[in-house]
Every structure is written in structure tokens, then in C-alpha cells.
Amino acid sequence: MDQFSFIKHKIIQLSILLCSCSFLFFACKRTSSHDRRLLTRADSLMKTRPDSAIKLLKSIRLPNKLNEEDHAAYSLLLSQAFDKCDIYIESDSIINTAVSFYSKTNNAPKAAYAYFYFSRCAKNRHDQQLRANRLIQAFPYAVQSKDYQLIGFLNAEKADIFREQRMLDSVIKYDKKSLQYLSMAKDRRNIALSYLGLGSDYYQKEQYSLALSYMHKALQDSYKVKDSLLISSCYGNSSLIYYYLKQYNRALNAIRLALAYNTQYDYAQWMNLGAILIKTGKLDSAEFYLKKAIQTKMALPDCYMLLQEIYMNKHMYKDALLYSKQYLAAKDSSYRQTLTSSFSGLERKINYEEVSKQNQKLIIRNQQYIMLIAISSLLIFIITTIVLIERNKKKKQKIKIVSARNIINLQKIQLQSEQISKIAIIQKLIQLQLIPKTNLSQIGAQYLKIFNEEHNKLISEQEVISPNTGPSFESFSLELKRRFPSLTEKELQICYYIRVGFNLELILASLNIKNDTYYKYRSNIRKKICPHENTKIEQILSAIP
């Protein structure tokens, strides 16, 4: 018994320990009020100052200790800030947290943005298939949330995928869809960008009149939003269109305006200006701008080819030959670089797939671990409950046994006291019988009277306590049974005890029953033998001989 109690005690201790560990495991992730204020502040700065939002988010020391919802918000805000600041992130480990949470909680607006930024990560590592899949997953959430701006962005991303595949008709189709939804969202800056994109699309299709019309619309919206970079881009693209239409003066005016609005070093515009100046016969100026473009180390083959043309027009064949060789070398180098980048992109993709598989395995293992803890806690709770129930049952049984023993002991004490009183009377009787009757005093006569009374009481109690063997009970019960056949054996005994004048305590002790049980028997007897409610049981029983 002691060993069993020891084992139960250890099980209870172990269950409490495991439950505490489980509680700490699930409750340890909690967002502090300071971190929540940082998240709110970063969200408010996202549109106007994304760089400041990044600093605020980076000041959260332990993002993994945030609760699940706040950790997802942190991941989404950080990915959004990186994208707005043109910080290209290839890994999707940050945004994947937001995707998992918002898709699970069915938060349509945030789930759409999470998938959108996930596609940007895939784009940065040149994984076009995953990029397209994430865009497809983002669309239903964007439509459900009725976020027209986001739908416009998603269509623009689709157009960009087709642009890389040189499918210009599909590019134009999705750029127009993007323009439609951005117009519904009244996003002026992105409307201007959409017009600019459509102008470039038609330029590549060599539909120059349509390209110019979209460029003019883009220019008008760019002036409305007062974005100098957009204005410069519109003039720069317009100059290219005029160049291919052989309207070189217009092209020259447009490229000069582009340079006026863009004070940054732009090799493309310098190269375009050089090409236009060649056509207008200003070879020295063209040479100046092309050599400036060469210093940036960008688009070297095109610059070398244009410089070769300048020196051919100047009849400087030696220099022309030199730039011809440099053009071929740059072309070959560019080809090798493209080949290397394609191989490195493939290698990055393979490495990413391996890492993603490993991450998936870790996620599955983590989920299994959590489920194991939950199941273990549940089993321990069930075992503990069963042990406590059994323990409670045994305690109740023990209490019943102790109470029964106490009743038996009380009955034994009562019997012993009765026996002692009877023995004392008998001893007095013996003493009195040894004294001659002539010498009996008044006290002796009183003792004899007491003895006779106690003797008669003992005889009557003996008959009553064992009524089944006494002749008076047998005759009474037979007569009672004849008159009232429905009475049970126990009811006959109770009727007999009432008939001979037993009080309630004696009846309960003799039959070993409780108060409630006695009154139930008495109620049944009344129903069976009393014809009227006012008639007493004692009256009917006393009438039976």
C-alpha cells in the first residue's frame, strides 16, 4: 500500500512538472508594450519614410519572442520596407512567417500583401515559377479585400513576367489591367508608371504613335504628382521614340529636358544623347557624352559601337578600329557574364530548394514536437484525474468503514453497559437471597422489586429482539398476513415492533436501518392496512390479537 501511494505521488509530481513546462513553452512568446509601440510607429511611417520604418523594426531585439500575430506583422512590415527602399532580399524566411499566419487566419488584405512580397523574393533570386505561383495565390485574397491598388500591382507583376519572356501582347494586356485597377484606386504616381510602361511596350512593338500617346499621358500625370524622376524618364523614353522616327531635333530637346530633371548620373541618357548628337552631326559633343557613359562601365558594347561610328565619320580609322576591337571584347565579356550569371542563378535556385526542404523538415519536426507535448500533457492530465478519482473513492470507502466501526463499537458499549447493569442486579439478587426473609429490610424488598422488573424486562427484550422464533410474533404475523397479504417480511417485523410499543431508536437498532428507510416502510404499511387517512397504524395493530 505504501509503495502504491509513493508511485501515485511521483506521477502527480511529474504531471505537474510537465504541465508547467508546457505552459511556459506556450506562454513564453509575449509582445512587450514597447515592441508593440515600435510596430505601430513603423506601420505609420511606411508610406512616407520606409527607411525610418526599417530602423524602428531593427530596434526590436528579439522578433522571435513576439506573439504569433505581432511576429507576422513584423515580418510583413520589414519585407514591405525593404521593397520600398529597393533593398533586394532573396531569402523568403522573413516573409514566410507572415504568409503562414495570415493565410491560416484568413486575413485577406494582409495575406494578399504577404504573397505579393513573397513573389518579390522569388523574383530577386530569379525563380520565375515560384514567383508566378505566389502571384496566383495572392490574387484571390486581393479580390476578396477589394484592394484595387494591390490588384493593379499584381497585374503589373504578371506583365513583368511576360516581359522577360518577350511575350509583348500578354505584357500589354496585363499592363492595361494594371492601369484600370490603379485608376480605380486613384493612385496617380502608379498610374503615371503604368502609362510609362505601356509606352515602352508599344515602343518595343515598334508602334511609335501609340507609344508617344502613352508617354504624353505619363508626362501629364508625372507633372501632377511633381515627381522629377518620373518626368525625366518620360522625356528620356520620348527621345528614343523620336530618334527611331528620325525626328532628331525633337529627340534632342526631349533628352535635354530629361537630363535637366534628373541630376543623377544616368549612363543610359548620356548614351542616348550621344546617339542623337551623332545624327545631328555634333560629333565632338557626342564623343564627350559617350566617354562619360563609358566611365560608369555600363552598356559598354553600345558605347564602343557608337564611338566607332564617330571616328569612322571623322575618318580616324585607326581609332575606329581600336573601338571596334573593344566592342567585340566587351560583347564577348558580356556574353560570358550572362552565361555565368545564368549558371549562378541556377545554382542559387538549387541551393534554395535544398534549404527550403530542410526548413520544411524542421517545421514538420517542430509541429510533431508540439503535438507530442500536447498529447503527453493530455495523457498525464487523464492519468492524474483517474488517480485522484480512485483516491477519492477509497477515502469515501474508508470513511464509511470507520463510521460503521464506530456504530458497532457504540452498540457494543451499550450492550456491555446493559450486561453490567444486569450482572449487578443478579449479584444483588444473590445477596438478597442469602438473607432470610424475616430479616429483609425495606431496602432489600426494594432490591427484589428492581430485580423482578429487570428480569421481566430482559425476558420481554429477548422475545422482541428475536421475533422470528417467539410464539407471540408468529401468531401475530400469521394473523396480520391473513388480513393483509401484500405485507412483506420486513413490514411484518416493523408492525410487530409498533404493536409491542418499541420506540423509534429500538426499531432502527434492531433492524439496522436508517430514519428515511423506516418512514418509507411505515408509509407503505399505511397504504396497505389503513382504509382511511385519519386512522392510525397503532389502532389497527392493537386490534389484532
Side-chain angles (χ1 to χ4, degrees):
M1 191 71 181
D2 292 338
Q3 188 177 2
F4 180 70
S5 300
F6 176 75
I7 292 167
K8 284 198 300 183
H9 183 67
K10 288 294 180 186
I11 288 171
I12 291 167
Q13 282 184 338
L14 183 62
S15 65
I16 291 168
L17 180 63
L18 284 173
C19 289
S20 302
C21 291
S22 303
F23 175 77
L24 288 172
F25 178 78
F26 289 108
C28 63
K29 291 191 174 183
R30 187 178 175 185
T31 307
S32 65
S33 57
H34 174 70
D35 289 343
R36 190 168 280 112
R37 283 196 297 271
L38 289 174
L39 287 171
T40 306
R41 180 67 178 153
D43 190 20
S44 65
L45 291 172
M46 189 59 64
K47 287 186 178 179
T48 55
R49 296 174 62 191
D51 53 339
S52 299
I54 291 174
K55 287 181 182 177
L56 287 171
L57 292 168
K58 289 285 187 182
S59 65
I60 297 174
R61 294 182 180 179
L62 297 170
N64 292 330
K65 295 296 181 183
L66 300 172
N67 65 37
E68 194 176 5
E69 184 179 359
D70 290 330
H71 192 197
Y74 168 85
S75 303
L76 182 59
L77 287 170
L78 191 60
S79 300
Q80 190 176 2
F82 282 150
D83 187 75
K84 285 182 176 291
C85 292
D86 294 326
I87 300 171
Y88 297 109
I89 304 297
E90 293 185 9
S91 174
D92 54 22
S93 57
I94 297 172
I95 194 61
N96 197 34
T97 305
V99 168
S100 301
F101 178 78
Y102 291 124
S103 58
K104 181 175 65 179
T105 55
N106 201 24
N107 187 332
K110 291 190 176 181
Y113 274 103
Y115 278 115
F116 171 68
Y117 289 115
F118 199 124
S119 75
R120 287 286 177 90
C121 293
K123 174 187 177 181
N124 293 338
R125 61 171 177 269
H126 309 292
D127 189 345
Q128 297 300 332
Q129 184 178 357
L130 184 62
R131 180 188 179 190
N133 287 338
R134 291 297 178 257
L135 287 174
I136 290 166
Q137 288 175 301
F139 259 99
Y141 290 110
V143 172
Q144 184 183 344
S145 61
K146 295 181 181 179
D147 190 334
Y148 299 123
Q149 185 186 45
L150 180 57
I151 297 171
F153 292 161
L154 293 172
N155 280 296
E157 288 291 313
K158 272 192 173 182
D160 192 46
I161 291 172
F162 287 116
R163 187 175 287 110
E164 291 180 5
Q165 297 170 359
R166 306 287 181 184
M167 298 171 67
L168 291 175
D169 291 332
S170 297
V171 172
I172 291 169
K173 173 185 173 183
Y174 284 104
D175 270 338
K176 284 184 175 179
K177 280 190 174 183
S178 175
L179 176 61
Q180 177 189 351
Y181 282 105
L182 289 170
S183 300
M184 291 167 69
K186 297 179 181 179
D187 185 351
R188 283 288 169 197
R189 187 177 185 281
N190 285 299
I191 289 170
L193 283 170
S194 293
Y195 281 131
L196 189 61
L198 282 166
S200 298
D201 297 339
Y202 282 112
Y203 164 73
Q204 289 178 23
K205 285 194 77 175
E206 297 181 359
Q207 296 181 14
Y208 299 124
S209 58
L210 277 172
L212 272 176
S213 68
Y214 278 111
M215 287 299 171
H216 288 317
K217 288 178 181 178
L219 190 60
Q220 288 173 0
D221 283 322
S222 299
Y223 274 116
K224 287 177 183 177
V225 295
K226 298 178 182 179
D227 191 322
S228 59
L229 188 61
L230 266 178
I231 295 168
S232 175
S233 298
C234 291
Y235 279 124
N237 287 331
S238 298
S239 71
L240 282 175
I241 298 168
Y242 287 128
Y243 177 84
Y244 283 100
L245 288 171
K246 297 182 180 180
Q247 298 178 14
Y248 300 121
N249 290 327
R250 286 188 175 184
L252 188 59
N253 288 332
I255 196 66
R256 281 175 174 167
L257 285 169
L259 288 168
Y261 279 98
N262 184 12
T263 56
Q264 298 175 355
Y265 291 101
D266 192 341
Y267 76 92
Q269 291 187 356
W270 290 335
M271 189 179 68
N272 292 341
L273 179 57
I276 295 166
L277 288 169
I278 290 170
K279 296 299 182 182
T280 56
K282 297 176 181 179
L283 300 178
D284 292 335
S285 297
E287 183 182 356
F288 171 77
Y289 284 108
L290 287 170
K291 284 183 177 180
K292 279 186 73 173
I294 286 171
Q295 291 173 6
T296 63
K297 306 292 183 184
M298 304 296 291
L300 289 176
D302 294 331
C303 289
Y304 288 140
M305 186 177 65
L306 289 170
L307 283 167
Q308 179 191 349
E309 185 180 349
I310 289 170
Y311 287 113
M312 287 291 290
N313 291 336
K314 285 183 174 183
H315 305 292
M316 299 170 66
Y317 300 114
K318 189 175 179 181
D319 291 331
L321 182 62
L322 176 64
Y323 280 110
S324 176
K325 288 179 181 179
Q326 288 181 339
Y327 165 74
L328 291 172
K331 198 76 174 173
D332 184 57
S333 175
S334 178
Y335 172 73
R336 286 181 183 177
Q337 188 178 359
T338 305
L339 191 63
T340 305
S341 64
S342 65
F343 277 122
S344 65
L346 182 62
E347 187 179 3
R348 279 200 304 271
K349 183 178 178 181
I350 291 167
N351 291 335
Y352 169 75
E353 287 174 354
E354 288 178 359
V355 170
S356 83
K357 283 178 183 176
Q358 290 175 359
N359 286 339
Q360 194 67 26
K361 285 179 182 177
L362 286 171
I363 289 165
I364 292 166
R365 195 178 298 168
N366 194 22
Q367 288 174 347
Q368 288 173 347
Y369 173 67
I370 291 168
M371 291 216 26
L372 183 64
I373 289 175
I375 291 166
S376 301
S377 302
L378 183 63
L379 285 172
I380 289 164
F381 174 74
I382 291 167
I383 291 166
T384 307
T385 306
I386 291 168
V387 169
L388 291 173
I389 289 168
E390 290 297 324
R391 203 183 203 181
N392 197 20
K393 281 183 181 177
K394 287 184 179 179
K395 277 186 180 178
K396 285 182 179 178
Q397 287 176 357
K398 202 170 183 181
I399 290 166
K400 283 183 181 178
I401 291 166
V402 170
S403 62
R405 282 178 182 171
N406 290 335
I407 291 167
I408 290 166
N409 290 332
L410 285 171
Q411 289 175 351
K412 283 181 180 179
I413 291 166
Q414 286 177 358
L415 288 171
Q416 285 175 359
S417 64
E418 287 174 3
Q419 286 175 358
I420 289 166
S421 65
K422 288 173 185 178
I423 289 166
I425 291 167
I426 290 168
Q427 286 176 349
K428 289 174 185 177
L429 178 62
I430 292 166
Q431 290 173 2
L432 289 170
Q433 284 177 348
L434 292 175
I435 302 169
K437 289 184 179 180
T438 55
N439 296 332
L440 284 173
S441 63
Q442 190 178 359
I443 297 169
Q446 287 176 358
Y447 279 133
L448 283 172
K449 187 178 178 183
I450 290 166
F451 170 74
N452 289 329
E453 288 175 359
E454 291 294 331
H455 181 68
N456 293 331
K457 189 177 177 183
L458 284 171
I459 293 167
S460 63
E461 283 181 1
Q462 186 179 2
E463 289 178 356
V464 170
I465 290 167
S466 303
N468 294 329
T469 58
S472 59
F473 173 74
E474 287 180 1
S475 60
F476 176 79
S477 62
L478 287 172
E479 180 63 26
L480 195 62
K481 187 75 173 176
R482 185 183 65 78
R483 293 188 186 186
F484 307 105
S486 61
L487 289 171
T488 63
E489 188 68 26
K490 187 70 79 174
E491 289 169 353
L492 288 170
Q493 288 181 14
I494 291 171
C495 287
Y496 180 69
Y497 290 148
I498 294 169
R499 171 73 173 76
V500 296
F502 265 32
N503 60 18
L504 179 61
E505 288 79 9
L506 280 173
I507 294 171
L508 296 178
S510 300
L511 296 176
N512 194 20
I513 59 174
K514 294 181 180 178
N515 250 350
D516 294 340
T517 310
Y518 167 74
Y519 282 112
K520 283 181 185 176
Y521 279 124
R522 188 178 176 93
S523 177
N524 291 335
I525 292 166
R526 175 180 288 281
K527 289 176 185 176
K528 292 176 181 179
I529 70 173
C530 293
H532 304 292
E533 290 184 3
N534 296 328
T535 309
K536 292 185 177 180
I537 295 172
E538 289 81 357
Q539 291 177 356
I540 294 171
L541 294 176
S542 62
I544 297 171

